[in-house]
Amino acid sequence: MTKDIPVTDKREINPFLKSALDFGPILVFFVAYLLLKDRVFTIGGTDYDGFIVVTAAFIPLLIASTGALWYLTGQLSRMQVATLVLVVVFGGLSVWLNDDRFFKMKPTMIYLLFGGLLGFGLLRGTSYLKYVMEGMMPLQDAGWMILTKRLMLFFFGLAVLNEVIWRTQSTETWVYFKTFGLSIAVFAFFLSQGKLFQTYGTEEAKDDTTDD
């Protein structure tokens, strides 16, 4: 299993531009929803509420931003590719069937997929997370296994939480949760792993320094 999809070369771009391409489509979706949430658009004789219209616009926007990232950096992570595919599939179903439930289920599918892949790796005695994040942090194999197990459970928890939110709360509440809640939860998760990084990362970091 490789870290990124194969390309001819890997290039660095301005970090602010990269962040804009990564998070820009989500913020545009959020702002557009706030502006159009109470409007109804009649297209081809069918009424579409603001959420469906914004979802329809979000799909090509995400395709464009992901394509720009690939063009500018020469690489895409498997997570980015999987996310794009699920957005196109579930967002497309929502627009086609005029049913917002499919797009709201998309985060559930993403986290179940990622959690399932991590769990499959653990059953095989390996950490797929290591292949994705190895260049970001020096961890011993035992540390990778622990972090992978925790992240797997965390992803499954987010999948359940997303289901609870969209099924019991308003669309607006779900949009806030999707835009900010999930991102904050992921950030808080990795922030809470500081002890693990210290315990299993220090020794390898020292070894790397010695080798240099």
Side-chain angles (χ1 to χ4, degrees):
M1 182 176 179
T2 56
K3 185 188 302 184
D4 301 300
I5 61 176
V7 290
T8 54
D9 69 308
K10 178 179 176 180
R11 298 176 294 275
E12 296 294 330
I13 64 170
N14 185 292
F16 293 104
L17 175 59
K18 186 177 186 303
S19 296
L21 291 172
D22 278 329
F23 303 108
I26 298 174
L27 293 177
V28 170
F29 174 88
F30 176 73
V31 173
Y33 170 76
L34 293 183
L35 294 174
L36 303 177
K37 63 180 181 177
D38 296 323
R39 297 185 59 183
V40 176
F41 300 82
T42 302
I43 304 173
T46 302
D47 291 339
Y48 298 90
D49 63 28
F51 182 87
I52 297 296
V53 172
V54 172
T55 299
F58 176 72
I59 296 171
L61 179 60
L62 185 64
I63 292 173
S65 66
T66 304
L69 271 175
W70 192 1
Y71 176 78
L72 293 172
T73 66
Q75 66 170 345
L76 285 177
S77 70
R78 292 177 181 271
M79 186 176 294
Q80 288 171 309
V81 174
T83 299
L84 178 62
V85 170
L86 290 173
V87 165
V88 171
V89 171
F90 284 90
L93 285 172
S94 278
V95 175
W96 183 30
L97 300 175
N98 198 11
D99 188 337
D100 61 11
R101 293 176 297 176
F102 291 99
F103 192 67
K104 291 176 180 178
M105 284 190 289
K106 184 263 301 178
T108 301
M109 297 300 105
I110 289 177
Y111 290 122
L112 286 178
L113 174 63
F114 293 161
L117 288 174
L118 293 181
F120 178 73
L122 289 173
L123 290 175
R124 298 184 61 193
T126 188
S127 169
Y128 287 162
L129 183 65
K130 178 179 179 180
Y131 293 108
V132 177
M133 301 184 64
E134 189 173 17
M136 301 180 187
M137 61 188 75
L139 282 178
Q140 302 170 46
D141 287 342
W144 281 116
M145 295 298 285
I146 294 173
L147 182 61
T148 300
K149 182 178 180 180
R150 291 178 181 177
L151 189 59
M152 175 195 71
L153 296 174
F154 177 68
F155 280 154
F156 287 149
L158 287 183
V160 172
L161 182 59
N162 183 67
E163 285 296 296
V164 171
I165 294 295
W166 83 259
R167 290 178 185 275
T168 63
Q169 304 300 314
S170 67
T171 294
E172 184 169 350
T173 298
W174 180 84
V175 169
Y176 276 94
F177 167 73
K178 171 66 177 67
T179 305
F180 302 108
L182 290 176
S183 299
I184 292 173
V186 172
F187 177 78
F189 170 82
F190 282 102
L191 193 64
S192 69
Q193 303 306 307
K195 182 64 176 179
L196 182 144
F197 297 144
Q198 291 178 356
T199 302
Y200 293 96
T202 303
E203 183 177 342
E204 185 169 322
K206 289 181 179 179
D207 290 342
D208 291 341
T209 304
T210 303
D211 292 340
D212 293 340

